[in-house]
Amino acid sequence: MRMKSGWVLLSAGVLLAALNGCSTATNNNGSGTGFMWVATEGDQQVTSFTINLSSGAVSQGSAAATGATPAAMVLTPDGKSFFVANSGDNTVSAYSVGSDGSLTAQGSPTAVGQLPVAIAVDPSSKFLFVANQGTIASNASGSVSVFAIQGAALSPVPGSPFLTETPSDVTGTGPAALIASPAGNFLYVANQFTNSVSIFSYDSAGFLTQNLASPVPAGTNPSGLAFSRCAGITTATTNCPTADGNDLFVADSGSNSITVLAACIQTSISCSSADGTLTPVSGSPFGAGTAPVAFMIHPALNYVYAVDSKSNQVSEYKYSSATGALSPLSPATASTGANPFSGGITSDGNWAFVTNNGGSNLSAYSVGTAGKLSPPATASVALSGQPSAVVIR
């Protein structure tokens, strides 16, 4: 078993993120209200929804305008601010979040780099990171824009945007996904054009420095990233009774696989100095459906779901916190609508939703105690435009 040791102090933002990642909820006893936001490309909007956690029923709320072709969204861990990356006009839209989940635009969209396709926030809600994919023809177009967050206002940090290319790259790297580590100041970027994951550290001002061991190989065309649900947790909780291996999941859309990398983000027996380095776990990569592009991580149990965009399904796995291995459930997949792009699970772990870009709807599922996704009485939610991204809280 891979063990972690040591104590950490969590700020309020990090603690909230940890609680959201390792919920105390258990299946089939949810109550109350969840929130969901869905971006739609066809009408360039982000729409808020409420979710009845007892029944899974969804009610539509208000919509807010985005920029052109909204591609990715993120809610800050403190729940106060919301950001949308608009790949069609190279901007980020900022919103404040109301108590009912409604979004109120804050100022004009902020310019970023070329073709922003992914967005992330650090656990303290201090920095916003935007992956600018650029083009394969230019080895100076792939970058990460970094902003300091003040409410819903954004201020570029000195040095931003930061190139993901290294001096040896003759083409663009194509950053397609990024994620901040739940412990330590590390940022991971999936490079779609060079089949790799870049490792960055960031300082108290948000300045990025690429790790000397970066980038590390992944499968073909990596398009999505997610951490194991208890990554960054050192003190045992009800739903995280033992520390996991701080595993990073990489959706390899071109090779129909999932690469699993142990991230050295906390001191442990196998990680003498937390430097952010990545090491493949035994058995990696693991098979997936056609073109996996995103993940859903169960908040309370060790289940991982990959959204397979070209086979119109979700691949279902049991995750081993001891080894990092992914084992298919039975059945191994659940059907979606046409061309699923992203998905999310409610904080109680009982309901899951997947955006179907080709079908202009959401697929809805109940989540069983054995991890299996099953369509509820209302198996889909109609939308007015092609959905590209979803955030659930």
Side-chain angles (χ1 to χ4, degrees):
M1 177 179 289
R2 298 166 299 163
M3 299 298 294
K4 295 185 292 187
S5 61
W7 293 88
V8 294
L9 292 176
L10 299 180
S11 68
V14 176
L15 179 58
L16 179 58
L19 292 175
N20 286 342
C22 285
S23 167
T24 58
T26 56
N27 278 31
N28 301 320
N29 66 349
S31 61
T33 301
F35 294 100
M36 175 168 63
W37 298 268
V38 181
T40 42
E41 297 175 337
D43 53 10
Q44 300 181 14
Q45 291 186 332
V46 55
T47 303
S48 63
F49 297 82
T50 56
I51 305 169
N52 184 314
L53 297 181
S54 296
S55 66
V58 173
S59 299
Q60 183 172 329
S62 60
T66 66
T69 318
M73 310 186 297
V74 68
L75 175 71
T76 54
D78 61 17
K80 297 179 180 179
S81 303
F82 196 94
F83 301 97
V84 178
N86 305 303
S87 63
D89 59 12
N90 302 330
T91 65
V92 168
S93 300
Y95 310 85
S96 60
V97 183
S99 59
D100 59 353
S102 60
L103 301 179
T104 301
Q106 301 295 306
S108 300
T110 300
V112 291
Q114 184 178 6
L115 198 62
V117 294
I119 194 166
V121 176
D122 78 304
S124 67
S125 301
K126 185 176 180 180
F127 299 113
L128 180 76
F129 306 101
V130 182
N132 306 304
Q133 189 170 64
T135 67
I136 194 170
S138 172
N139 67 347
S141 61
S143 66
V144 176
S145 295
V146 185
F147 299 90
I149 301 173
Q150 296 177 325
L154 297 176
S155 300
V157 307
S160 178
F162 300 89
L163 292 181
T164 54
E165 285 87 2
T166 65
S168 62
D169 287 317
V170 296
T171 66
T173 57
L178 76 176
I179 191 169
S181 62
N185 293 338
F186 302 106
L187 181 75
Y188 298 94
V189 182
N191 301 306
Q192 195 167 72
F193 301 157
T194 53
N195 308 324
S196 64
V197 177
S198 294
I199 308 165
F200 293 88
S201 60
Y202 58 94
D203 61 18
S204 59
F207 188 91
L208 295 184
T209 301
Q210 190 156 183
N211 190 301
L212 293 176
S214 172
V216 299
T220 306
N221 303 136
S223 302
L225 297 172
F227 266 103
S228 49
R229 68 182 182 89
C230 293
I233 302 299
T234 55
T235 303
T237 66
T238 301
N239 290 300
C240 293
T242 58
D244 69 18
N246 290 331
D247 292 312
L248 180 67
F249 306 115
V250 186
D252 304 316
S253 63
S255 52
N256 306 328
S257 62
I258 298 171
T259 297
V260 183
L261 304 166
C264 183
I265 59 176
Q266 291 174 304
T267 301
S268 69
I269 294 174
S270 60
C271 176
S272 59
S273 177
D275 57 9
T277 53
L278 299 171
T279 305
V281 305
S282 179
S284 178
F286 302 92
T290 307
V293 294
F295 294 103
M296 300 185 292
I297 308 299
H298 196 288
L301 301 170
N302 280 342
Y303 298 113
V304 173
Y305 307 88
V307 178
D308 303 319
S309 63
K310 299 303 181 184
S311 52
N312 300 334
Q313 66 184 32
V314 174
S315 294
E316 308 174 314
Y317 303 91
K318 176 72 173 179
Y319 162 68
S320 170
S321 60
T323 67
L326 296 176
S327 303
L329 299 182
S330 180
T333 63
S335 296
T336 67
N339 198 18
F341 267 18
S342 64
I345 300 178
T346 54
S347 59
D348 61 4
N350 290 336
W351 309 100
F353 298 87
V354 173
T355 63
N356 300 308
N357 186 261
S360 290
N361 62 12
L362 297 174
S363 292
Y365 308 89
S366 62
V367 185
T369 54
K372 184 177 73 171
L373 301 182
S374 301
T378 302
S380 67
V381 179
L383 298 168
S384 59
Q386 294 74 39
S388 54
V390 61
V391 171
I392 296 177
R393 181 179 181 184

